[in-house]
């Protein structure tokens, strides 16, 4: 199936649902869930978290045009911010002209850390723990025979001695292939299980036993060529290279630049029930590993003057377990995506992130970011100003004609439209 659905954004919501259903082979039940905006029930939510009193809903859309490694994807994105989904779709349309995105992701190797304090000779202790590495891996793997059966499990035990403000510490690291899960529970359980043995061997005091969100063994990469003409011509291409240089040179800009990248990651993560905080923490720490913030993406030109973008990000994502399995909308999003593994999901996510960064830089260099936001911004202001559904389109139409839109404008126009409707109603 082709993810280029012509005029998708102009279709009614019902027509969009039908198009997605056809693309992804959705069942009547899936379609009904989308139509009704249902999914997670308060009863199910009550089992997922604590002190639950209700649900927090977000818009769920799909980005069109994505071609990743030759396969078409409609990419589900859950996000409250206007323009993000349109921007991703637009960038993916331009990337397609040169073959779309190429992407790959590492095995899902996650690190669990065990902190040992008060060790008299931490280097010797590390050696002792290492000598028992095989036994410790077996103890870790005994906690999860299913993972072992599907080809995953604890792979390696290593460690480091670090200097901290509270003295030297021994950090034992357990590397676990968590396969298609995000893996936090698996790794934390293993770390807790082997910790007493590590404590005995090391002779110190074990404190923390927890995974690291700096998932550098779980990197996803994507790259794409963006035709120079379709991007807006050589001057826009130069502007994007300047924007990239700006981000790499200035932390204030870098934070915003990488925030735009993460718009792509987080929207897909929410839609698929993945842990957005883990992804954010991993990506921003990775971006700052050299001691200062660097762009998560890289931009350059090829011999023809086309723009070539690439991205490399830690991507600890799963397609099974946790909310990916228990949240009905996450399950549906994964079905729409049609990904067969965590690696495939990470590859699509990295492509969406690269698309997002391309679209943001292009808009910033061209017309600025506000223009794209205007229509939905006008709509939000109109609703805030009290526009009822009967007058909403008229109010938005009039607001959109203004050069700059404020809440006061919205209130004034709502009053004017209401007054004019009253007059004509009375006439
Ligand atoms: C807004 O959500 C994201 C941008 O600020 C990213 C950027 O400035 O590159 C537009």
């Amino acid at each position: 199936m082709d993810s280029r659905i012509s005029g998708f954004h102009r279709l009614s919501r019902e027509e969009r649902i039908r198009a997605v259903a056809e693309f992804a082979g959705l069942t009547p039940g899936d379609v009904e869930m989308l139509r009704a905006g249902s999914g997670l029930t308060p009863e199910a939510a009550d089992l997922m978290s604590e002190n639950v009193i209700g649900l927090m809903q977000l818009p769920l859309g799909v980005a069109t045009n994505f071609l990743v490694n030759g396969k078409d994807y409609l990419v589900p994105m859950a996000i409250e911010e206007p323009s993000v989904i349109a921007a991703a779709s637009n960038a993916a349309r331009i990337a397609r002209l040169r073959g779309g995105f190429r992407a790959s992701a590492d095995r899902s190797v996650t690190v669990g850390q065990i902190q040992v304090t008060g060790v008299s000779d931490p280097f010797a202790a590390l050696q002792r723990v290492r000598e028992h590495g095989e036994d410790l891996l077996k103890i870790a793997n005994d906690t999860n025979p299913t993972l072992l059966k599907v080809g995953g499990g604890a792979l390696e035990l290593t460690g480091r001695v670090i200097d901290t403000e509270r003295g030297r510490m021994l950090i034992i690291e357990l590397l676990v292939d968590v396969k298609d899960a995000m893996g936090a529970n698996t790794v934390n359980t293993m770390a807790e299980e082997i910790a007493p043995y590590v404590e005995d061997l090391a002779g110190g005091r074990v404190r923390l036993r927890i995974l690291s969100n700096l998932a550098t063994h779980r990197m996803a990469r994507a790259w794409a060529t963006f035709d120079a003409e379709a991007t807006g011509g050589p001057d826009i291409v130069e502007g994007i290279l300047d924007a990239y240089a700006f981000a790499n040179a200035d932390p204030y800009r870098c934070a915003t630049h990488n925030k735009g990248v993460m718009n792509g990651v987080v929207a897909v993560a929410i839609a698929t029930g993945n842990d957005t905080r883990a992804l954010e923490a991993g990506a921003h720490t990775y971006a700052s590993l050299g001691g200062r913030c660097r762009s998560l993406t890289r931009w350059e030109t090829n011999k023809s003057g086309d723009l070539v973008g690439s991205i490399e990000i830690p991507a600890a994502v799963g397609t099974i377990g946790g909310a990916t399995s228990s949240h009905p909308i996450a399950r549906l999003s994964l079905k729409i995506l049609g990904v067969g593994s965590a690696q495939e999901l990470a590859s699509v996510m990295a492509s969406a992130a690269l698309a997002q960064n391309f679209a943001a830089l292009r808009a910033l260099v061209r017309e600025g970011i506000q223009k794209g936001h205007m229509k939905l911004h006008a709509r939000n202001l109109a609703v805030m100003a009290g526009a009822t559904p009967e007058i909403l389109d008229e109010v938005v139409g009039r607001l959109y004609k203004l050069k700059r839109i404020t809440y006061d404008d919205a209130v004034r126009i709502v009053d004017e439209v209401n007054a004019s409707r009253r007059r004509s109603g009375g006439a």
Side-chain angles (χ1 to χ4, degrees):
M1 288 289 278
D2 197 326
S3 64
R4 284 171 297 181
I5 304 177
S6 163
F8 188 74
H9 62 289
R10 282 191 296 271
L11 300 179
S12 67
R13 198 169 73 83
E14 177 61 32
E15 288 166 330
R16 282 186 221 129
I17 291 173
R18 266 192 260 128
V20 173
E22 198 186 329
F23 179 91
L26 301 187
T27 63
D30 298 332
V31 167
E32 196 38 49
M33 187 153 59
L34 290 172
R35 206 176 264 149
S38 58
L40 190 65
T41 60
E43 292 72 27
D46 204 18
L47 301 173
M48 284 170 87
S49 191
E50 301 79 34
N51 297 358
V52 169
I53 56 168
L55 300 172
M56 166 71 192
Q57 316 277 20
L58 279 178
L60 175 73
V62 289
T64 54
N65 303 323
F66 271 83
L67 186 64
V68 182
N69 296 334
K71 177 173 167 185
D72 269 281
Y73 295 90
L74 286 178
V75 182
M77 299 177 97
I79 190 158
E80 87 299 347
E81 184 175 330
S83 304
V84 169
I85 300 176
S89 306
N90 206 18
R93 182 182 56 76
I94 298 175
R96 269 189 104 96
L97 301 172
R98 292 275 181 274
F101 298 87
R102 309 298 304 175
S104 67
D106 297 336
R107 279 173 85 180
S108 304
V109 176
T110 300
V111 176
Q113 295 189 302
I114 300 168
Q115 177 199 28
V116 200
T117 59
V119 182
S120 54
D121 182 350
F123 290 99
L126 173 55
Q127 188 53 31
R128 281 197 300 281
V129 174
R130 275 203 172 128
E131 278 161 13
H132 288 79
E134 286 304 318
D135 302 333
L136 294 169
L137 289 180
K138 174 152 187 354
I139 294 167
N141 280 325
D142 283 347
T143 65
N144 200 331
T146 311
L147 182 61
L148 217 54
K149 239 180 258 157
V150 296
L155 302 173
E156 196 182 326
L157 192 92
T158 168
R160 290 177 291 126
V161 176
I162 60 167
D163 284 314
T164 78
E165 61 193 51
R166 286 176 55 86
R168 287 215 149 152
M169 293 178 188
L170 171 63
I171 309 300
I172 297 299
E173 293 187 332
L174 182 66
L175 274 59
V176 185
D177 184 347
V178 295
K179 300 298 282 181
D180 289 323
M182 188 274 182
N185 282 330
T186 303
V187 173
N188 293 341
T189 303
M190 288 184 174
E192 289 189 5
E193 190 69 21
I194 66 169
Y197 301 95
V198 168
E199 195 171 61
D200 275 355
L201 290 163
R205 170 99 191 265
V206 162
R207 293 282 191 184
L208 307 192
R209 299 142 298 159
I210 188 79
L211 93 163
S212 167
N213 287 127
L214 181 56
T216 53
H217 297 272
R218 255 179 121 160
M219 300 298 289
R221 296 163 206 87
W223 57 102
T225 300
F226 295 86
D227 176 85
E229 271 324 297
T231 298
D235 184 53
I236 303 297
V237 169
E238 286 300 310
I240 292 175
L241 295 179
D242 286 343
Y244 167 58
F246 182 13
N248 272 333
D250 178 55
Y252 286 87
R253 174 57 205 153
C254 190
T256 321
H257 175 100
N258 285 343
K259 187 269 182 184
V261 172
M262 296 309 285
N263 276 345
V265 170
V266 169
V268 177
I270 296 177
T272 56
N274 272 285
D275 183 340
T276 56
R277 288 82 56 215
L279 289 160
E280 292 268 10
H284 294 300
T285 307
Y286 180 73
S288 307
L289 273 186
R292 63 171 222 252
C293 182
R294 308 279 301 180
S295 166
L296 288 162
T297 54
R298 194 184 152 88
W299 293 101
E300 55 206 326
T301 45
N302 63 14
K303 282 199 203 93
S304 327
D306 293 329
L307 194 61
V308 180
S310 55
I311 184 169
E312 201 171 18
I313 40 165
V317 291
T319 52
I320 56 168
T324 62
S325 302
S326 63
H327 196 303
I329 295 294
R331 286 202 306 268
L332 185 50
S333 292
L334 286 167
K335 189 167 179 182
I336 293 170
L337 258 177
V339 288
S341 66
Q343 271 103 329
E344 193 179 348
L345 173 59
S347 300
V348 175
M349 202 178 243
S351 304
L354 181 62
Q356 207 59 55
N357 185 229
F358 168 81
L361 298 187
R362 180 168 177 259
L364 286 166
V365 168
R366 278 157 55 119
E367 66 277 4
I369 211 73
Q370 283 309 93
K371 193 162 185 285
H373 282 203
M374 264 333 197
K375 208 150 207 161
L376 281 169
H377 180 53
R379 220 175 171 80
N380 287 339
L381 282 183
V383 171
M384 275 167 62
T388 53
E390 299 76 50
I391 65 165
L392 191 59
D393 283 345
E394 187 176 345
V395 173
V396 172
R398 284 182 57 180
L399 275 172
Y400 195 58
K401 287 200 189 110
L402 303 178
K403 209 160 176 266
R404 223 172 270 117
I405 305 174
T406 65
Y407 175 69
D408 288 344
D409 292 321
V411 172
R412 175 177 52 78
I413 292 175
V414 166
D415 285 346
E416 286 171 10
V417 174
N418 277 333
S420 128
R421 298 256 172 138
R422 270 196 304 273
R423 277 196 302 278
S424 54

